[in-house]
Amino acid sequence: KFDIDQPHFLLGCTWMIGTPVPLPLVRDIWFSRGLNPHRESIRRAIIEFGVSDWDDIERDILSGRDRLWIVLDGMEVEMVVTTTLVDDACEIVACGGRRLNECLPLLSMIEQYARDSKKRIMRIFGRKGWQRVLKNYAVVGTQGKATVLERLL
């Protein structure tokens, strides 16, 4: 279902595919059994951090307003990310999965998507610890219990 020519990156000893999910496939993938644990971890994080309303995020993903991104190892989903375009920024609203540090090459793909969408800021809502990992991002505040990180593109 995914174009084999999608960009690949090395994750451990495995070549991974990081890709935005094409809109016609979003509903099937969002409700697939393979995505259940990731969807649930995103739901718990949204509720815990109070960044947004879970029902709003899910509606925006399913309608295509927000973009759904996945990292695949073969047919196994390793990570799920949701993004939204707001004013002059591309925002990562939610992220869940396994081996998150190793899946960071997806972030550069999302940043390129933001540039292509004429956005000048990349914004991430997440745990404070991501500041140590994302060294080229600056903490600009908080929203709910989440730390807000930004970088100019």
Side-chain angles (χ1 to χ4, degrees):
K1 289 185 175 180
F2 290 97
D3 183 355
I4 195 67
D5 294 329
Q6 287 290 333
H8 288 62
F9 54 88
L10 189 62
L11 173 62
C13 298
T14 306
W15 284 97
M16 307 293 285
I17 297 175
T19 184
V21 176
L23 187 55
L25 299 178
V26 165
R27 181 169 290 282
D28 289 341
I29 290 179
W30 184 249
F31 291 113
S32 70
R33 195 172 354 167
L35 206 68
N36 280 346
H38 306 301
R39 192 175 61 245
E40 181 58 24
S41 73
I42 288 173
R43 188 188 69 76
R44 282 192 314 267
I46 292 299
I47 291 168
E48 175 186 345
F49 286 100
V51 172
S52 186
D53 180 74
W54 169 249
D55 292 334
D56 290 345
I57 289 174
E58 189 168 51
R59 183 191 65 242
D60 290 346
I61 290 167
L62 294 172
S63 73
R65 180 187 177 277
D66 289 0
R67 199 81 194 251
L68 178 65
W69 302 75
I70 59 174
V71 175
L72 295 170
D73 180 358
M75 293 305 294
E76 187 75 22
V77 177
E78 292 294 327
M79 187 173 71
V80 177
V81 176
T82 67
T83 61
T84 190
L85 301 175
V86 178
D87 300 324
D88 62 348
C90 177
E91 298 178 347
I92 293 179
V93 177
C95 177
R98 300 181 290 259
R99 298 156 62 183
L100 295 177
N101 272 345
E102 297 171 274
C103 293
L104 282 176
L106 180 64
L107 181 57
S108 62
M109 296 168 65
I110 294 172
E111 289 173 346
Q112 186 58 51
Y113 162 74
R115 285 184 201 92
D116 293 346
S117 300
K118 307 294 186 234
K119 303 303 174 187
R120 61 179 202 84
I121 297 170
M122 190 71 216
R123 184 175 298 129
I124 300 173
F125 298 90
R127 300 181 189 281
K128 187 176 183 178
W130 278 104
Q131 179 184 8
R132 290 187 303 274
V133 176
L134 302 173
K135 297 187 186 323
N136 55 350
Y137 280 75
V139 173
V140 296
T142 60
Q143 182 169 335
K145 294 180 184 175
T147 298
V148 181
L149 302 162
E150 284 188 358
R151 131 170 225 221
L152 291 176
L153 298 173

